[in-house]
Amino acid sequence: MTRALVTGITGQDGLYLAELLLSKGYEVFGLVRGQNNPKYDLVRQQVPGVQLLTGDLTDLSSLMRALETSEPTEVYNLGAISFVAYSWENAHVTTEVTAKGVLNILEATRLFCGPTPDAVRFYQASSSEMFGKVQQVPQSEQTLLWPRSPYGVAKVFGHYMTINYRESYGMHASSGILFNHESPRRGPEFVTRKVSMAVARIALGLQETVSMGNLDARRDWGFAGDYVDAMHRMLQQPVADDYVVSTGRTHSIRELLDVAFARVGIDDWGRHVELDKRFLRPAEVDLLIGDSAKARSVLDWQPTVSFEQLVHMMVDADLAAARP
Ligand code: F7E
């Protein structure tokens, strides 16, 4: 039986990836941080087959113990402090977890592998946030990185460290440069879920308005379920490499509001949306659009859910959850 260790198991991607791996017959171990973590129960309910281990990306010895217990052939490093806006206020802890945490799990995996450095296949969750002030449109694996947030800077560190371990030690370490990916499991602090939850509540008369930041930012949004499939495909390749994963289509926050409100029959959403400077960022990533040609040809991967279908899926799920 193939065994996988997944950090960040409690997040949206961890849950979808665990479901995918279990459906393929893997034995799945998930790393959970902290004592009495309330998300333990969430994982147990949603993906009961996962075996949970405690550990922390900032604690090398806890990672080594998790590797010794799970004896994986694949490691997926999805754990991170991932909310970009938070990273300006908490740059140090973001660096500890999202940057140095990658070094810790790479080093633990290298030590665990001993004389056969490619015995474990390693996946690093890199991010389109690394492109920041974009130097090329669309962005590919070759595009110069220019991060615009402490989170983006931390992800660049993890990305290059993964490449460095591959080149220095011969590890089978791949990095997926994933553009924004969403689902009904997305955390409520991210813009798509914030909008889908608010629209559902407004449609049901439970709330009048939602406060938003920059409505002109553009993102390339895909469905998280499709994106974890790309992660898995990367680790099935004979040679490790880096891949952009994206839809190749970009939409503004205004278009997100258009589609979400239209789903509940509201065409003129202006009276329901207030602009609040607290949600503006010190530096913005204005135009993200990914060129995933390499993933499409080498991995035979493609997104299956359109932007409209994604937004409808999220609004419908939140409507069902919010109905009294
Ligand atoms: O913001 C704008 C905001 O927080 C998207 C993470 O998964 O994807 C995600 O990072 C855009 C930004 O995601 C609000 O200014 C406007 O331009 O949903 P978000 P993100 O920052 O793109 C990347 C690929 C990752 O790797 C990250 O981990 O939406 N925006 N008004 C707002 N954003 C939020 N959150 N809230 C607002 O009210």
Side-chain angles (χ1 to χ4, degrees), residues 12-13 80-85 88 98 125-130 149 151-152 155 177-182 186-195 210-221 252-253 256-257 274-276 278-281 283-286 288:
Q12 162 190 263
D13 291 7
I81 291 186
S82 65
F83 186 40
V84 175
W88 276 277
T98 306
S126 287
S127 162
S128 57
E129 191 68 14
M130 302 190 305
S149 61
Y151 169 82
K155 280 288 180 187
I177 306 173
L178 269 53
F179 281 61
N180 295 54
H181 43 287
E182 319 293 315
R186 189 58 143 149
E189 67 274 35
F190 297 97
V191 75
T192 52
R193 186 75 198 290
K194 178 174 174 178
V195 166
V210 58
S211 299
M212 303 287 303
N214 177 9
L215 303 188
D216 296 317
R218 302 185 73 85
R219 288 291 186 280
D220 177 335
W221 279 295
S252 67
I253 311 298
L256 166 67
L257 290 163
E274 291 171 348
L275 299 183
D276 186 332
R278 282 181 306 143
F279 295 108
L280 297 176
R281 296 177 180 186
E284 182 61 276
V285 173
D286 291 318
L288 283 176

Side-chain angles (χ1 to χ4, degrees), residues 2-256:
T2 319
R3 297 156 74 94
L5 175 64
V6 181
T7 73
I9 191 82
T10 62
Q12 162 190 263
D13 291 7
L15 296 170
Y16 280 112
L17 179 65
E19 276 175 355
L20 177 78
L21 297 176
L22 288 169
S23 77
K24 290 181 182 295
Y26 280 61
E27 195 169 351
V28 180
F29 295 83
L31 197 72
V32 181
R33 182 171 48 95
Q35 187 183 350
N36 204 12
N37 186 326
K39 289 189 172 170
Y40 248 97
D41 290 340
L42 176 94
V43 181
R44 287 218 175 91
Q45 279 163 16
Q46 297 201 11
V47 272
V50 173
Q51 300 176 55
L52 294 176
L53 306 172
T54 46
D56 194 308
L57 283 169
T58 63
D59 181 344
L60 180 67
S61 59
S62 77
L63 299 176
M64 295 190 65
R65 265 199 305 279
L67 283 157
E68 275 156 23
T69 307
S70 56
E71 294 186 51
T73 50
E74 295 178 6
V75 170
Y76 294 85
N77 184 37
L78 312 185
I81 291 186
S82 65
F83 186 40
V84 175
Y86 173 91
S87 76
W88 276 277
E89 290 156 29
N90 299 275
H92 196 271
V93 70
T94 300
T95 304
E96 288 297 326
V97 178
T98 306
K100 288 163 72 180
V102 184
L103 174 58
N104 285 338
I105 184 81
L106 277 166
E107 182 62 5
T109 306
R110 184 183 76 83
L111 293 171
F112 174 73
C113 285
T116 47
D118 59 351
V120 173
R121 296 185 171 196
F122 182 92
Y123 173 83
Q124 167 58 18
S126 287
S127 162
S128 57
E129 191 68 14
M130 302 190 305
F131 294 121
K133 189 175 175 186
V134 299
Q135 300 297 298
Q136 194 184 338
V137 178
Q139 297 88 45
S140 75
E141 296 81 5
Q142 309 305 325
T143 304
L144 180 68
L145 304 179
W146 197 302
R148 296 268 278 172
S149 61
Y151 169 82
V153 173
K155 280 288 180 187
V156 170
F157 176 93
H159 181 66
Y160 282 125
M161 198 54 86
T162 303
I163 294 171
N164 186 256
Y165 266 61
R166 181 168 77 219
E167 294 180 351
S168 302
Y169 302 113
M171 278 177 64
H172 191 294
S174 294
S175 181
I177 306 173
L178 269 53
F179 281 61
N180 295 54
H181 43 287
E182 319 293 315
S183 74
R185 285 173 167 160
R186 189 58 143 149
E189 67 274 35
F190 297 97
V191 75
T192 52
R193 186 75 198 290
K194 178 174 174 178
V195 166
S196 66
M197 288 173 75
V199 165
R201 289 178 55 80
I202 289 168
L204 296 172
L206 299 171
Q207 145 181 356
E208 270 295 308
T209 58
V210 58
S211 299
M212 303 287 303
N214 177 9
L215 303 188
D216 296 317
R218 302 185 73 85
R219 288 291 186 280
D220 177 335
W221 279 295
F223 171 53
D226 286 340
Y227 285 38
V228 300
D229 176 44
M231 298 175 188
H232 177 257
R233 285 171 189 252
M234 282 176 219
L235 296 206
Q236 310 319 304
Q237 299 306 306
V239 178
D241 207 343
D242 308 316
Y243 298 89
V244 161
V245 179
S246 64
T247 71
R249 291 172 195 272
T250 181
H251 299 275
S252 67
I253 311 298
R254 283 180 205 282
E255 290 166 38
L256 166 67

